[in-house]
Amino acid sequence: MKRLVREGQELSTIKGQIQQWSAAQSELKPAMFFLNPSTGEYLDINGAKSISAASTIKIPVLLAFFEEVDAGTIDLDEPLVMRQDLVASEAGSMQYEPVGTTFSALETAEYMIAISDNTATNMLIDRLGGAQKLNQRFKSWGLKHTAIRNPLPDLEGTNTISPQDMAALMLKLKDDDLLLSASREQALDILRQTVTNTLLPQGIDKDANIAHKTGDIGSVVGDIGLIDMPNGQHYVAAILVQRPHNDPRAQELIRKISKLTYRTFRKQDPSIATPATTSDN
């Protein structure tokens, strides 16, 4: 995977605004990387920091899945069996089905992203050869901080990513570096089905389009997205906020930053009013 290119200038004005917001809530520790590849404009605050992934680790699992589909080693229709050792608590509905239930590989990938199903994720990690093989693959892609250390739900936050790693991955859904065209489109379509739309989507206009995946455990919450704007440009957004356990101010900060960055990338007045609080599911 090519290095993440930063050709233009950093958005220093809004960086200063975000740093002021963060300083006013010092218990919140945000890490983010935003980039518009058309203009080279970017925002980097702790973007290279290794941070607990929560469910955003499902993005590299999804891309690894489609890489194997492209290689012909996984068929979208092949049945995957839900074994007892793969059943996971917390997010998802597959855990309530009888052990031994089969799902197609594509269904499993859709469950993993749309409703953040942890059992589906463990099933795909298993089908892809396990965490160690996936971690080797992530390194081969050039990801520096992305690693699976424990099965989902990983409430302790041992699985890690960095905002720069995730931004680089999302950019790969716009070129032919990693996946064939059909798989890129299918992966994007799945990421557009994400049910939880209370973070990055709250900061963009209704005529914009976002493919994204959220993550939420007690200690960290975040959202990784690829946003297509009405002006024909797109940008990647990767933001995670470490916080006191389940502190809802972290979600509000993400919404504010999303709105500020969207307006800036769309070349509108970046002045911002705090969005209305939206409850998270």
Side-chain angles (χ1 to χ4, degrees):
M1 182 179 289
K2 299 172 185 174
R3 291 185 64 188
L4 196 62
V5 177
R6 285 183 273 182
E7 300 170 333
Q9 63 180 16
E10 184 162 25
L11 299 168
S12 56
T13 301
I14 68 168
K15 181 174 183 177
Q17 174 67 76
I18 292 166
Q19 288 172 329
Q20 286 182 26
W21 289 340
S22 299
Q25 302 178 101
S26 59
E27 305 94 333
L28 305 181
K29 302 189 181 306
M32 67 197 77
F33 190 87
F34 292 69
L35 171 70
N36 180 334
S38 296
T39 64
E41 293 173 306
Y42 69 94
L43 170 68
D44 186 352
I45 299 177
N46 300 317
K49 181 180 180 179
S50 177
I51 191 168
S52 295
S55 284
T56 66
I57 198 69
K58 295 166 184 175
I59 295 173
V61 174
L62 180 71
L63 270 64
F65 169 74
F66 276 107
E67 195 174 47
E68 290 303 305
V69 170
D70 288 345
T73 56
I74 290 181
D75 190 292
L76 293 175
D77 294 324
E78 76 172 74
L80 300 182
V81 178
M82 189 179 77
R83 302 194 314 263
Q84 181 63 58
D85 62 306
L86 301 174
V87 175
S89 62
E90 306 299 322
S93 61
M94 290 170 68
Q95 61 181 305
Y96 303 113
E97 298 297 326
V99 170
T101 300
T102 60
F103 303 87
S104 75
L106 179 59
E107 279 180 315
T108 307
E110 290 172 338
Y111 276 117
M112 175 178 72
I113 299 298
I115 60 171
S116 204
D117 197 297
N118 290 328
T119 301
T121 309
N122 291 340
M123 289 170 63
L124 285 185
I125 291 171
D126 179 73
R127 177 62 182 85
L128 291 164
Q132 185 174 354
K133 283 194 174 181
L134 278 171
N135 291 339
Q136 291 170 353
R137 185 190 300 253
F138 300 158
K139 285 184 179 179
S140 76
W141 291 348
L143 304 182
K144 296 180 179 179
H145 301 288
T146 301
I148 301 170
R149 296 179 177 87
N150 281 294
L152 277 292
D154 186 38
L155 299 178
E156 298 302 314
T158 64
N159 301 329
T160 57
I161 50 92
S162 73
Q164 284 187 7
D165 277 2
M166 292 299 100
L169 262 191
M170 295 303 285
L171 281 177
K172 295 306 155 193
L173 293 172
K174 285 291 188 180
D175 62 36
D176 58 2
D177 255 18
L178 193 62
L179 301 177
L180 299 178
S181 177
S183 287
R184 290 201 314 274
E185 286 305 313
Q186 198 154 25
L188 278 169
D189 182 64
I190 290 173
L191 287 162
R192 292 184 184 117
Q193 296 172 29
T194 294
V195 169
T196 300
N197 287 316
T198 53
L199 297 174
L200 285 174
Q202 294 297 309
I204 68 175
D205 290 340
K206 294 186 184 302
D207 53 355
N209 191 289
I210 184 168
H212 72 118
K213 180 71 195 81
T214 55
D216 189 345
I217 56 177
S219 60
V220 67
V221 63
D223 204 353
I224 315 295
L226 173 68
I227 295 95
D228 290 302
M229 297 181 287
N231 64 8
Q233 296 178 358
H234 63 271
Y235 68 94
V236 286
I239 179 167
L240 296 105
V241 180
Q242 293 173 303
R243 59 181 177 171
H245 189 76
N246 285 337
D247 190 329
R249 294 178 301 165
Q251 285 94 326
E252 187 60 27
L253 181 61
I254 292 171
R255 288 190 276 269
K256 287 175 65 176
I257 292 170
S258 178
K259 189 169 186 178
L260 180 63
T261 51
Y262 177 82
R263 287 185 175 188
T264 302
F265 282 132
R266 198 177 173 183
K267 305 304 181 188
Q268 294 181 346
D269 179 2
S271 62
I272 183 171
T274 302
T277 300
T278 307
S279 62
D280 288 79
N281 297 316

